[in-house]
Amino acid sequence: MDGLAGGLNLEGTYTPIQLWAGEPNGQTTQGTCAEGYVFGQKNARGETYKFPVVALVGGLLVPWNPLADSDVPNAYASATITFSTAVPTAGETVTINGEVITFRAAADVDDEWEVAIGATLTDTATNLKNFINAHRMDFGVEGGNGVIATSSAGVVTVESAGTAGNAVTLAEAGANIAVSGANLSGGTDSDAEAGGARVPYGILPHALDTTDAEGGYDGPVDTPVFISGHPNFDALDLPEGTTYQEVKAAFAGTMINVQKLY
């Protein structure tokens, strides 16, 4: 279990994919995968190239599903920050959930809460978006959901998942900066019960099949499961549409810290 497995590229050749994005590699415990599931993905040579994220339900490991037992997905709370007329003046600020972000002509590398003023409104919005995403888990959001951002022209859209996101505050102190409201709004929670398959437990070191399919296992399977470490986001087998920010937030409070290699 060295954390390497064969992956596929568009030309059909095989290249390695790195499970671990940083040291130390993960610590394991022993678990039992429930029968009736396909965990992870293998390539044509039978090598794991997508490592399964698992949840613990009734003492058995099942594939992680952030919307388990729910037909109402979480909706993000959101708000906008708009730059108009002119770029900010040095010293003007935007405050997200109490954290003050100060605009400077050149951001001080020793001050993690400064962001550079761009040459244009679009550049400034892009700089702020990138800053927010780089600090997404540093805004003290309840439940560890974090804050993410996108930008278009001179407008930055700030988002945080669920009803906890509705409590995220937003303010500005600038002549040409406007926020859409004092709080993010529109966040809703899933009706899934606490615990269960929507809470990730760990990562399997290999793909396996506990259905009665040919080449699989017909029944529960004992296996190691990683419960700590810094896994590579791109090496994980995740529900379709799951973002880096979502899986990172889901593991908040555990010993697993999902990273991106590039």
Side-chain angles (χ1 to χ4, degrees):
M1 294 183 298
D2 62 359
L4 291 173
L8 296 172
N9 65 29
L10 294 178
E11 288 73 33
T13 58
Y14 300 99
T15 55
I17 188 165
Q18 176 69 51
L19 173 58
W20 301 113
E23 296 293 340
N25 290 351
Q27 173 187 357
T28 64
T29 188
Q30 195 68 14
T32 302
C33 289
E35 65 178 305
Y37 294 97
V38 176
F39 295 83
Q41 300 180 45
K42 294 182 179 181
N43 62 29
R45 298 196 304 188
E47 301 164 327
T48 300
Y49 77 98
K50 287 290 185 179
F51 295 83
V53 177
V54 293
L56 188 64
V57 178
L60 296 174
L61 300 172
V62 300
W64 175 59
N65 179 2
L67 300 179
D69 307 316
S70 174
D71 56 8
V72 183
N74 280 359
Y76 277 86
S78 66
T80 58
I81 302 167
T82 301
F83 301 99
S84 62
T85 309
V87 298
T89 300
E92 292 184 333
T93 63
V94 166
T95 302
I96 301 175
N97 217 36
E99 299 293 346
V100 180
I101 304 166
T102 303
F103 292 97
R104 299 293 186 192
D108 185 346
V109 295
D110 295 324
D111 188 336
E112 64 173 339
W113 293 102
E114 290 188 355
V115 63
I117 300 167
T120 66
L121 299 179
T122 298
D123 291 343
T124 301
T126 299
N127 289 351
L128 180 59
K129 173 202 69 175
N130 291 340
F131 179 92
I132 292 169
N133 289 333
H135 292 78
R136 58 192 167 273
M137 301 306 295
D138 298 333
F139 292 99
V141 180
E142 179 185 346
N145 289 328
V147 173
I148 59 175
T150 58
S151 66
S152 177
V155 179
V156 177
T157 300
V158 181
E159 296 182 315
S160 187
T163 56
N166 296 330
V168 174
T169 59
L170 197 62
E172 52 78 19
N176 298 302
I177 309 172
V179 298
S180 59
N183 290 78
L184 276 60
S185 62
T188 61
D189 283 340
S190 162
D191 61 2
E193 297 179 359
R198 72 187 186 106
V199 178
Y201 176 75
I203 298 167
L204 298 189
H206 48 229
L208 58 87
D209 182 350
T210 62
T211 71
D212 59 357
E214 183 178 354
Y217 299 88
D218 185 10
V221 179
D222 292 335
T223 179
V225 54
F226 289 112
I227 57 171
S228 71
H230 304 276
N232 172 17
F233 170 77
D234 293 311
L236 301 180
D237 186 33
L238 299 167
E240 184 176 358
T242 303
T243 66
Y244 172 55
Q245 290 85 359
E246 287 168 339
V247 71
K248 192 171 181 69
F251 274 112
T254 75
M255 293 187 292
I256 290 177
N257 182 19
V258 179
Q259 302 289 312
K260 285 182 76 73
L261 288 176
Y262 48 83

